[in-house]
Amino acid sequence: MAIRNVVQVGDEVLRQKCAAVENFDEKLWELLDDMKDTVKMEEGAGLAAPQVGVLRRVVVVDVEEGYFEFINPVIVSQKGEQSGWEGCLSVRGKSGIVSRPMKVKLNYYDRNGQKFQLQAKGFFARAICHELDHLDGVLYIDKATHIEKN
Ligand code: CO
């Protein structure tokens, strides 16, 4: 396990569309282990694979509800709306107000390739939406109505 370098805004890798994971193998597990070390060390609410330079559909989320690994995640339904502050480990020293769904239902695979569905609300739902945007090259600063320096 190791800490990986977090790519910063301006790097084109953050603007690419990620490909689906096809092999649930040791290389994926090493990526997930390193992402866990990295997000814990950085004290982030989540991290997406492109933020460590890997263009695959892999995110981790670390919130009150627990620590989660989502492979090939897809939001299958969403409900309501919430507006609140977000930051990003790839946009240091800033935060912004972003509108997100209040609730989401997510389909995803775990690290062994088993399929699951999960429902999230509030900040958990916000973190999921933020991380999934990274997989399509979208940053919260593209959606924020207001951005401030920390
Ligand atoms: Co981010």
Side-chain angles (χ1 to χ4, degrees), residues 9 86-88 91-96 140-141 147-150:
V9 62
E86 285 181 27
C88 180
V91 188
R92 302 241 187 237
K94 285 183 183 171
S95 44
Y140 87 85
I141 50 173
I147 295 175
E148 272 185 15
K149 287 188 178 177
N150 293 344

Side-chain angles (χ1 to χ4, degrees), residues 51 87-90 130-131 134 140:
Q51 294 182 274
C88 180
L89 296 177
S90 293
H130 176 118
E131 298 312 329
H134 275 296
Y140 87 85

Side-chain angles (χ1 to χ4, degrees), residues 1-136:
M1 289 169 69
I3 306 290
R4 298 208 188 183
N5 185 47
V6 179
V7 173
Q8 294 300 302
V9 62
D11 192 316
E12 270 308 300
V13 78
L14 292 174
R15 295 306 192 174
Q16 309 298 309
K17 194 170 164 64
C18 295
V21 169
E22 285 166 5
N23 301 312
F24 293 79
D25 57 9
E26 278 178 27
K27 201 176 168 195
L28 172 68
W29 301 336
E30 188 184 353
L31 170 67
L32 285 163
D33 290 344
D34 288 355
M35 286 174 70
K36 183 175 187 176
D37 282 354
T38 306
V39 78
K40 294 276 184 192
M41 198 272 289
E42 298 275 2
E43 298 180 336
L47 188 66
Q51 294 182 274
V52 294
V54 178
L55 291 172
R56 289 285 172 179
R57 303 190 82 81
V58 174
V59 309
V60 298
V61 171
D62 192 13
V63 291
E64 251 181 52
E65 287 82 353
Y67 182 83
F68 298 88
E69 297 174 342
F70 299 132
I71 322 294
N72 298 340
V74 178
I75 292 171
V76 291
S77 70
Q78 57 183 62
K79 236 180 159 179
E81 197 188 336
Q82 59 172 322
S83 192
W85 290 96
E86 285 181 27
C88 180
L89 296 177
S90 293
V91 188
R92 302 241 187 237
K94 285 183 183 171
S95 44
I97 293 181
V98 187
S99 175
R100 300 285 189 187
M102 182 55 82
K103 291 180 179 176
V104 296
K105 193 180 283 181
L106 187 74
N107 283 355
Y108 66 98
Y109 293 83
D110 73 358
R111 60 165 60 205
N112 298 309
Q114 197 180 344
K115 196 175 183 180
F116 289 91
Q117 186 173 83
L118 168 148
Q119 292 187 65
K121 61 180 180 182
F123 186 77
F124 188 15
R126 171 179 297 286
I128 287 170
C129 293
H130 176 118
E131 298 312 329
L132 264 63
D133 272 353
H134 275 296
L135 304 181
D136 294 313

